[in-house]
Amino acid sequence: VQLQASGGGLVQAGGSLRLSCAASGHIFSINVMNWYRQAPGKQRELVAGIRSGASTNYADSVKGRFTISRANTKNTVYLQMNSLKPEDTAVYYCNADHTDMAANRRLYWGQGTLVTVSS
């Protein structure tokens, strides 16, 4: 399974971006897909997640501003980011909790996409 993240860029504070994460390869069952971020000098933190049943969860710092959603194929997730703040500046990573036909469960990571919010 490969994950391709895209959509990052430079935006002014108050602006919006939409990130995409597309999973490809030998996909059998994706249980959860998440977005994480890592700012310079900080630990990687969970931003948002969406489960196979479409339930979602968000970090307190992004609630009401970010929305995670999933395409009908269920192999692509999006992160709509509105009202961006300079503190949202980070490399954003997606991951996927995948179970294969043999019931082996593994976590896959994408390569990251840089979001820079200027003040």
Side-chain angles (χ1 to χ4, degrees), residues 27-34 48-57 68-77 95-99 105:
I27 297 170
F28 181 70
S29 178
I30 294 178
N31 309 303
V32 181
M33 291 187 77
N34 299 297
I50 186 165
R51 293 166 181 76
S52 57
S55 62
T56 59
N57 60 281
I68 189 169
S69 61
R70 189 174 61 197
N72 289 337
T73 63
K74 300 185 180 180
N75 293 337
T76 299
V77 291
N95 72 18
D97 181 345
H98 177 264
T99 300
R105 195 166 179 174

PDB file of all heavy atoms in Angstrom, residues 27-34 48-57 68-77 95-99 105:
ATOM      1  N   ILE A  27      -4.884  -2.958  -1.831  1.00  0.00           N
ATOM      2  CA  ILE A  27      -5.726  -2.542  -0.712  1.00  0.00           C
ATOM      3  C   ILE A  27      -6.826  -3.557  -0.491  1.00  0.00           C
ATOM      4  O   ILE A  27      -7.546  -3.904  -1.419  1.00  0.00           O
ATOM      5  CB  ILE A  27      -6.324  -1.155  -0.985  1.00  0.00           C
ATOM      6  CG1 ILE A  27      -5.211  -0.111  -1.085  1.00  0.00           C
ATOM      7  CG2 ILE A  27      -7.305  -0.770   0.129  1.00  0.00           C
ATOM      8  CD1 ILE A  27      -5.683   1.224  -1.591  1.00  0.00           C
ATOM      9  N   PHE A  28      -6.935  -4.015   0.743  1.00  0.00           N
ATOM     10  CA  PHE A  28      -8.022  -4.935   1.086  1.00  0.00           C
ATOM     11  C   PHE A  28      -9.034  -4.245   1.989  1.00  0.00           C
ATOM     12  O   PHE A  28     -10.211  -4.168   1.662  1.00  0.00           O
ATOM     13  CB  PHE A  28      -7.478  -6.192   1.747  1.00  0.00           C
ATOM     14  CG  PHE A  28      -8.538  -7.198   2.095  1.00  0.00           C
ATOM     15  CD1 PHE A  28      -9.187  -7.890   1.093  1.00  0.00           C
ATOM     16  CD2 PHE A  28      -8.899  -7.447   3.418  1.00  0.00           C
ATOM     17  CE1 PHE A  28     -10.184  -8.814   1.381  1.00  0.00           C
ATOM     18  CE2 PHE A  28      -9.893  -8.364   3.721  1.00  0.00           C
ATOM     19  CZ  PHE A  28     -10.527  -9.053   2.704  1.00  0.00           C
ATOM     20  N   SER A  29      -8.557  -3.733   3.122  1.00  0.00           N
ATOM     21  CA  SER A  29      -9.457  -3.053   4.042  1.00  0.00           C
ATOM     22  C   SER A  29      -8.691  -1.981   4.808  1.00  0.00           C
ATOM     23  O   SER A  29      -7.748  -2.283   5.542  1.00  0.00           O
ATOM     24  CB  SER A  29     -10.074  -4.046   5.023  1.00  0.00           C
ATOM     25  OG  SER A  29     -10.904  -3.372   5.951  1.00  0.00           O
ATOM     26  N   ILE A  30      -9.125  -0.746   4.623  1.00  0.00           N
ATOM     27  CA  ILE A  30      -8.542   0.351   5.384  1.00  0.00           C
ATOM     28  C   ILE A  30      -9.455   0.645   6.562  1.00  0.00           C
ATOM     29  O   ILE A  30     -10.623   0.988   6.381  1.00  0.00           O
ATOM     30  CB  ILE A  30      -8.344   1.595   4.508  1.00  0.00           C
ATOM     31  CG1 ILE A  30      -7.295   1.322   3.436  1.00  0.00           C
ATOM     32  CG2 ILE A  30      -7.924   2.787   5.368  1.00  0.00           C
ATOM     33  CD1 ILE A  30      -7.064   2.466   2.483  1.00  0.00           C
ATOM     34  N   ASN A  31      -8.934   0.510   7.751  1.00  0.00           N
ATOM     35  CA  ASN A  31      -9.730   0.682   8.963  1.00  0.00           C
ATOM     36  C   ASN A  31      -9.865   2.158   9.339  1.00  0.00           C
ATOM     37  O   ASN A  31     -10.943   2.627   9.693  1.00  0.00           O
ATOM     38  CB  ASN A  31      -9.076  -0.072  10.118  1.00  0.00           C
ATOM     39  CG  ASN A  31      -8.760  -1.510   9.738  1.00  0.00           C
ATOM     40  OD1 ASN A  31      -9.637  -2.263   9.341  1.00  0.00           O
ATOM     41  ND2 ASN A  31      -7.499  -1.882   9.825  1.00  0.00           N
ATOM     42  N   VAL A  32      -8.745   2.846   9.305  1.00  0.00           N
ATOM     43  CA  VAL A  32      -8.698   4.258   9.705  1.00  0.00           C
ATOM     44  C   VAL A  32      -7.676   4.965   8.834  1.00  0.00           C
ATOM     45  O   VAL A  32      -6.641   4.393   8.504  1.00  0.00           O
ATOM     46  CB  VAL A  32      -8.254   4.428  11.183  1.00  0.00           C
ATOM     47  CG1 VAL A  32      -8.245   5.892  11.592  1.00  0.00           C
ATOM     48  CG2 VAL A  32      -9.114   3.618  12.122  1.00  0.00           C
ATOM     49  N   MET A  33      -7.991   6.197   8.470  1.00  0.00           N
ATOM     50  CA  MET A  33      -6.987   7.066   7.855  1.00  0.00           C
ATOM     51  C   MET A  33      -6.897   8.332   8.694  1.00  0.00           C
ATOM     52  O   MET A  33      -7.918   8.864   9.137  1.00  0.00           O
ATOM     53  CB  MET A  33      -7.336   7.392   6.403  1.00  0.00           C
ATOM     54  CG  MET A  33      -7.210   6.174   5.496  1.00  0.00           C
ATOM     55  SD  MET A  33      -7.425   6.537   3.736  1.00  0.00           S
ATOM     56  CE  MET A  33      -5.835   7.276   3.316  1.00  0.00           C
ATOM     57  N   ASN A  34      -5.671   8.769   8.912  1.00  0.00           N
ATOM     58  CA  ASN A  34      -5.427   9.909   9.787  1.00  0.00           C
ATOM     59  C   ASN A  34      -4.541  10.939   9.097  1.00  0.00           C
ATOM     60  O   ASN A  34      -3.743  10.599   8.226  1.00  0.00           O
ATOM     61  CB  ASN A  34      -4.696   9.475  11.067  1.00  0.00           C
ATOM     62  CG  ASN A  34      -5.465   8.479  11.886  1.00  0.00           C
ATOM     63  OD1 ASN A  34      -6.551   8.762  12.377  1.00  0.00           O
ATOM     64  ND2 ASN A  34      -4.893   7.292  12.043  1.00  0.00           N
ATOM     65  N   ALA A  48      -6.431  14.817  12.676  1.00  0.00           N
ATOM     66  CA  ALA A  48      -7.793  14.338  12.447  1.00  0.00           C
ATOM     67  C   ALA A  48      -7.735  12.911  11.948  1.00  0.00           C
ATOM     68  O   ALA A  48      -6.740  12.491  11.352  1.00  0.00           O
ATOM     69  CB  ALA A  48      -8.514  15.213  11.440  1.00  0.00           C
ATOM     70  N   GLY A  49      -8.818  12.171  12.178  1.00  0.00           N
ATOM     71  CA  GLY A  49      -8.905  10.802  11.709  1.00  0.00           C
ATOM     72  C   GLY A  49     -10.316  10.478  11.267  1.00  0.00           C
ATOM     73  O   GLY A  49     -11.285  11.101  11.728  1.00  0.00           O
ATOM     74  N   ILE A  50     -10.427   9.511  10.352  1.00  0.00           N
ATOM     75  CA  ILE A  50     -11.731   9.059   9.884  1.00  0.00           C
ATOM     76  C   ILE A  50     -11.698   7.553   9.764  1.00  0.00           C
ATOM     77  O   ILE A  50     -10.771   6.975   9.201  1.00  0.00           O
ATOM     78  CB  ILE A  50     -12.118   9.735   8.552  1.00  0.00           C
ATOM     79  CG1 ILE A  50     -13.544   9.361   8.155  1.00  0.00           C
ATOM     80  CG2 ILE A  50     -11.124   9.417   7.435  1.00  0.00           C
ATOM     81  CD1 ILE A  50     -14.124  10.266   7.062  1.00  0.00           C
ATOM     82  N   ARG A  51     -12.722   6.905  10.347  1.00  0.00           N
ATOM     83  CA  ARG A  51     -12.780   5.455  10.360  1.00  0.00           C
ATOM     84  C   ARG A  51     -13.596   4.919   9.198  1.00  0.00           C
ATOM     85  O   ARG A  51     -14.276   5.675   8.506  1.00  0.00           O
ATOM     86  CB  ARG A  51     -13.358   4.999  11.700  1.00  0.00           C
ATOM     87  CG  ARG A  51     -12.429   5.300  12.848  1.00  0.00           C
ATOM     88  CD  ARG A  51     -13.091   5.188  14.212  1.00  0.00           C
ATOM     89  NE  ARG A  51     -12.167   5.515  15.284  1.00  0.00           N
ATOM     90  CZ  ARG A  51     -11.796   6.748  15.601  1.00  0.00           C
ATOM     91  NH1 ARG A  51     -12.276   7.780  14.942  1.00  0.00           N
ATOM     92  NH2 ARG A  51     -10.954   6.946  16.584  1.00  0.00           N
ATOM     93  N   SER A  52     -13.551   3.604   9.030  1.00  0.00           N
ATOM     94  CA  SER A  52     -14.269   2.996   7.920  1.00  0.00           C
ATOM     95  C   SER A  52     -15.760   3.249   8.007  1.00  0.00           C
ATOM     96  O   SER A  52     -16.446   3.289   6.992  1.00  0.00           O
ATOM     97  CB  SER A  52     -13.984   1.499   7.876  1.00  0.00           C
ATOM     98  OG  SER A  52     -14.337   0.885   9.101  1.00  0.00           O
ATOM     99  N   GLY A  53     -16.263   3.447   9.217  1.00  0.00           N
ATOM    100  CA  GLY A  53     -17.674   3.750   9.403  1.00  0.00           C
ATOM    101  C   GLY A  53     -17.980   5.230   9.283  1.00  0.00           C
ATOM    102  O   GLY A  53     -19.124   5.644   9.510  1.00  0.00           O
ATOM    103  N   ALA A  54     -16.992   6.003   8.932  1.00  0.00           N
ATOM    104  CA  ALA A  54     -17.102   7.442   8.679  1.00  0.00           C
ATOM    105  C   ALA A  54     -17.119   8.294   9.942  1.00  0.00           C
ATOM    106  O   ALA A  54     -17.305   9.507   9.855  1.00  0.00           O
ATOM    107  CB  ALA A  54     -18.306   7.796   7.815  1.00  0.00           C
ATOM    108  N   SER A  55     -16.931   7.705  11.108  1.00  0.00           N
ATOM    109  CA  SER A  55     -16.810   8.542  12.295  1.00  0.00           C
ATOM    110  C   SER A  55     -15.469   9.272  12.256  1.00  0.00           C
ATOM    111  O   SER A  55     -14.495   8.758  11.703  1.00  0.00           O
ATOM    112  CB  SER A  55     -16.912   7.704  13.567  1.00  0.00           C
ATOM    113  OG  SER A  55     -15.860   6.769  13.636  1.00  0.00           O
ATOM    114  N   THR A  56     -15.450  10.452  12.836  1.00  0.00           N
ATOM    115  CA  THR A  56     -14.268  11.303  12.766  1.00  0.00           C
ATOM    116  C   THR A  56     -13.834  11.763  14.152  1.00  0.00           C
ATOM    117  O   THR A  56     -14.619  11.745  15.102  1.00  0.00           O
ATOM    118  CB  THR A  56     -14.527  12.532  11.896  1.00  0.00           C
ATOM    119  OG1 THR A  56     -15.623  13.271  12.447  1.00  0.00           O
ATOM    120  CG2 THR A  56     -14.853  12.141  10.467  1.00  0.00           C
ATOM    121  N   ASN A  57     -12.588  12.182  14.236  1.00  0.00           N
ATOM    122  CA  ASN A  57     -12.091  12.784  15.462  1.00  0.00           C
ATOM    123  C   ASN A  57     -11.092  13.868  15.092  1.00  0.00           C
ATOM    124  O   ASN A  57     -10.470  13.807  14.022  1.00  0.00           O
ATOM    125  CB  ASN A  57     -11.451  11.749  16.395  1.00  0.00           C
ATOM    126  CG  ASN A  57     -10.269  11.038  15.760  1.00  0.00           C
ATOM    127  OD1 ASN A  57     -10.449  10.133  14.961  1.00  0.00           O
ATOM    128  ND2 ASN A  57      -9.060  11.466  16.107  1.00  0.00           N
ATOM    129  N   ILE A  68     -12.206  16.564   8.014  1.00  0.00           N
ATOM    130  CA  ILE A  68     -11.683  15.390   7.312  1.00  0.00           C
ATOM    131  C   ILE A  68     -12.850  14.689   6.639  1.00  0.00           C
ATOM    132  O   ILE A  68     -13.937  14.579   7.218  1.00  0.00           O
ATOM    133  CB  ILE A  68     -10.926  14.444   8.278  1.00  0.00           C
ATOM    134  CG1 ILE A  68     -10.198  13.344   7.497  1.00  0.00           C
ATOM    135  CG2 ILE A  68     -11.843  13.857   9.334  1.00  0.00           C
ATOM    136  CD1 ILE A  68      -9.228  12.527   8.344  1.00  0.00           C
ATOM    137  N   SER A  69     -12.630  14.233   5.425  1.00  0.00           N
ATOM    138  CA  SER A  69     -13.686  13.540   4.692  1.00  0.00           C
ATOM    139  C   SER A  69     -13.045  12.475   3.816  1.00  0.00           C
ATOM    140  O   SER A  69     -11.818  12.419   3.667  1.00  0.00           O
ATOM    141  CB  SER A  69     -14.504  14.518   3.842  1.00  0.00           C
ATOM    142  OG  SER A  69     -13.674  15.162   2.885  1.00  0.00           O
ATOM    143  N   ARG A  70     -13.917  11.669   3.229  1.00  0.00           N
ATOM    144  CA  ARG A  70     -13.414  10.539   2.462  1.00  0.00           C
ATOM    145  C   ARG A  70     -14.146  10.471   1.130  1.00  0.00           C
ATOM    146  O   ARG A  70     -15.357  10.703   1.065  1.00  0.00           O
ATOM    147  CB  ARG A  70     -13.656   9.261   3.267  1.00  0.00           C
ATOM    148  CG  ARG A  70     -13.020   8.009   2.754  1.00  0.00           C
ATOM    149  CD  ARG A  70     -13.245   6.901   3.770  1.00  0.00           C
ATOM    150  NE  ARG A  70     -14.670   6.667   3.946  1.00  0.00           N
ATOM    151  CZ  ARG A  70     -15.194   6.003   4.972  1.00  0.00           C
ATOM    152  NH1 ARG A  70     -14.411   5.557   5.930  1.00  0.00           N
ATOM    153  NH2 ARG A  70     -16.476   5.810   5.055  1.00  0.00           N
ATOM    154  N   ALA A  71     -13.416  10.145   0.075  1.00  0.00           N
ATOM    155  CA  ALA A  71     -14.048   9.990  -1.229  1.00  0.00           C
ATOM    156  C   ALA A  71     -14.877   8.712  -1.240  1.00  0.00           C
ATOM    157  O   ALA A  71     -14.693   7.829  -0.403  1.00  0.00           O
ATOM    158  CB  ALA A  71     -12.978   9.938  -2.314  1.00  0.00           C
ATOM    159  N   ASN A  72     -15.778   8.614  -2.196  1.00  0.00           N
ATOM    160  CA  ASN A  72     -16.648   7.444  -2.286  1.00  0.00           C
ATOM    161  C   ASN A  72     -15.875   6.151  -2.431  1.00  0.00           C
ATOM    162  O   ASN A  72     -16.337   5.096  -1.997  1.00  0.00           O
ATOM    163  CB  ASN A  72     -17.615   7.604  -3.459  1.00  0.00           C
ATOM    164  CG  ASN A  72     -18.665   8.657  -3.183  1.00  0.00           C
ATOM    165  OD1 ASN A  72     -18.955   8.959  -2.026  1.00  0.00           O
ATOM    166  ND2 ASN A  72     -19.217   9.228  -4.227  1.00  0.00           N
ATOM    167  N   THR A  73     -14.696   6.215  -3.027  1.00  0.00           N
ATOM    168  CA  THR A  73     -13.881   5.015  -3.179  1.00  0.00           C
ATOM    169  C   THR A  73     -13.316   4.555  -1.845  1.00  0.00           C
ATOM    170  O   THR A  73     -12.843   3.439  -1.729  1.00  0.00           O
ATOM    171  CB  THR A  73     -12.689   5.268  -4.114  1.00  0.00           C
ATOM    172  OG1 THR A  73     -11.847   6.269  -3.510  1.00  0.00           O
ATOM    173  CG2 THR A  73     -13.159   5.743  -5.474  1.00  0.00           C
ATOM    174  N   LYS A  74     -13.340   5.452  -0.867  1.00  0.00           N
ATOM    175  CA  LYS A  74     -12.823   5.200   0.478  1.00  0.00           C
ATOM    176  C   LYS A  74     -11.318   5.054   0.516  1.00  0.00           C
ATOM    177  O   LYS A  74     -10.756   4.786   1.573  1.00  0.00           O
ATOM    178  CB  LYS A  74     -13.478   3.970   1.117  1.00  0.00           C
ATOM    179  CG  LYS A  74     -14.968   4.090   1.264  1.00  0.00           C
ATOM    180  CD  LYS A  74     -15.556   2.897   2.021  1.00  0.00           C
ATOM    181  CE  LYS A  74     -17.041   3.039   2.167  1.00  0.00           C
ATOM    182  NZ  LYS A  74     -17.639   1.889   2.900  1.00  0.00           N
ATOM    183  N   ASN A  75     -10.657   5.234  -0.619  1.00  0.00           N
ATOM    184  CA  ASN A  75      -9.203   5.126  -0.618  1.00  0.00           C
ATOM    185  C   ASN A  75      -8.521   6.483  -0.670  1.00  0.00           C
ATOM    186  O   ASN A  75      -7.292   6.544  -0.767  1.00  0.00           O
ATOM    187  CB  ASN A  75      -8.743   4.262  -1.797  1.00  0.00           C
ATOM    188  CG  ASN A  75      -9.171   2.824  -1.638  1.00  0.00           C
ATOM    189  OD1 ASN A  75      -9.417   2.367  -0.534  1.00  0.00           O
ATOM    190  ND2 ASN A  75      -9.257   2.116  -2.743  1.00  0.00           N
ATOM    191  N   THR A  76      -9.304   7.539  -0.665  1.00  0.00           N
ATOM    192  CA  THR A  76      -8.762   8.890  -0.651  1.00  0.00           C
ATOM    193  C   THR A  76      -9.437   9.679   0.451  1.00  0.00           C
ATOM    194  O   THR A  76     -10.660   9.625   0.581  1.00  0.00           O
ATOM    195  CB  THR A  76      -8.997   9.597  -1.996  1.00  0.00           C
ATOM    196  OG1 THR A  76      -8.342   8.880  -3.037  1.00  0.00           O
ATOM    197  CG2 THR A  76      -8.449  11.019  -1.955  1.00  0.00           C
ATOM    198  N   VAL A  77      -8.642  10.338   1.236  1.00  0.00           N
ATOM    199  CA  VAL A  77      -9.199  11.213   2.268  1.00  0.00           C
ATOM    200  C   VAL A  77      -8.715  12.632   2.025  1.00  0.00           C
ATOM    201  O   VAL A  77      -7.651  12.856   1.433  1.00  0.00           O
ATOM    202  CB  VAL A  77      -8.821  10.766   3.698  1.00  0.00           C
ATOM    203  CG1 VAL A  77      -9.502   9.478   4.041  1.00  0.00           C
ATOM    204  CG2 VAL A  77      -7.329  10.719   3.877  1.00  0.00           C
ATOM    205  N   ASN A  95      -1.688   8.767   7.256  1.00  0.00           N
ATOM    206  CA  ASN A  95      -1.405   7.357   7.416  1.00  0.00           C
ATOM    207  C   ASN A  95      -2.676   6.545   7.268  1.00  0.00           C
ATOM    208  O   ASN A  95      -3.789   7.075   7.308  1.00  0.00           O
ATOM    209  CB  ASN A  95      -0.667   7.056   8.729  1.00  0.00           C
ATOM    210  CG  ASN A  95      -1.513   7.179   9.979  1.00  0.00           C
ATOM    211  OD1 ASN A  95      -2.732   7.181   9.938  1.00  0.00           O
ATOM    212  ND2 ASN A  95      -0.859   7.263  11.124  1.00  0.00           N
ATOM    213  N   ALA A  96      -2.488   5.244   7.059  1.00  0.00           N
ATOM    214  CA  ALA A  96      -3.618   4.344   6.873  1.00  0.00           C
ATOM    215  C   ALA A  96      -3.366   3.059   7.663  1.00  0.00           C
ATOM    216  O   ALA A  96      -2.302   2.459   7.542  1.00  0.00           O
ATOM    217  CB  ALA A  96      -3.814   4.024   5.405  1.00  0.00           C
ATOM    218  N   ASP A  97      -4.360   2.706   8.443  1.00  0.00           N
ATOM    219  CA  ASP A  97      -4.343   1.454   9.207  1.00  0.00           C
ATOM    220  C   ASP A  97      -5.025   0.409   8.321  1.00  0.00           C
ATOM    221  O   ASP A  97      -6.231   0.482   8.109  1.00  0.00           O
ATOM    222  CB  ASP A  97      -5.088   1.656  10.519  1.00  0.00           C
ATOM    223  CG  ASP A  97      -5.106   0.411  11.383  1.00  0.00           C
ATOM    224  OD1 ASP A  97      -4.806  -0.682  10.879  1.00  0.00           O
ATOM    225  OD2 ASP A  97      -5.444   0.550  12.575  1.00  0.00           O
ATOM    226  N   HIS A  98      -4.232  -0.516   7.794  1.00  0.00           N
ATOM    227  CA  HIS A  98      -4.710  -1.432   6.766  1.00  0.00           C
ATOM    228  C   HIS A  98      -4.659  -2.878   7.243  1.00  0.00           C
ATOM    229  O   HIS A  98      -3.717  -3.291   7.927  1.00  0.00           O
ATOM    230  CB  HIS A  98      -3.845  -1.269   5.514  1.00  0.00           C
ATOM    231  CG  HIS A  98      -4.193  -2.207   4.411  1.00  0.00           C
ATOM    232  ND1 HIS A  98      -3.520  -3.401   4.212  1.00  0.00           N
ATOM    233  CD2 HIS A  98      -5.137  -2.128   3.450  1.00  0.00           C
ATOM    234  CE1 HIS A  98      -4.043  -4.006   3.176  1.00  0.00           C
ATOM    235  NE2 HIS A  98      -5.011  -3.261   2.685  1.00  0.00           N
ATOM    236  N   THR A  99      -5.668  -3.630   6.887  1.00  0.00           N
ATOM    237  CA  THR A  99      -5.704  -5.069   7.144  1.00  0.00           C
ATOM    238  C   THR A  99      -5.746  -5.788   5.817  1.00  0.00           C
ATOM    239  O   THR A  99      -6.587  -5.472   4.966  1.00  0.00           O
ATOM    240  CB  THR A  99      -6.932  -5.453   7.983  1.00  0.00           C
ATOM    241  OG1 THR A  99      -6.885  -4.758   9.237  1.00  0.00           O
ATOM    242  CG2 THR A  99      -6.956  -6.951   8.253  1.00  0.00           C
ATOM    243  N   ARG A 105      -2.345  -6.711  10.047  1.00  0.00           N
ATOM    244  CA  ARG A 105      -2.649  -5.286  10.190  1.00  0.00           C
ATOM    245  C   ARG A 105      -1.348  -4.503  10.200  1.00  0.00           C
ATOM    246  O   ARG A 105      -0.389  -4.872  10.881  1.00  0.00           O
ATOM    247  CB  ARG A 105      -3.411  -5.042  11.493  1.00  0.00           C
ATOM    248  CG  ARG A 105      -4.076  -3.702  11.593  1.00  0.00           C
ATOM    249  CD  ARG A 105      -5.072  -3.727  12.746  1.00  0.00           C
ATOM    250  NE  ARG A 105      -5.729  -2.441  12.901  1.00  0.00           N
ATOM    251  CZ  ARG A 105      -6.726  -2.221  13.761  1.00  0.00           C
ATOM    252  NH1 ARG A 105      -7.155  -3.209  14.526  1.00  0.00           N
ATOM    253  NH2 ARG A 105      -7.267  -1.031  13.839  1.00  0.00           N
TER     254      ARG A 105
END
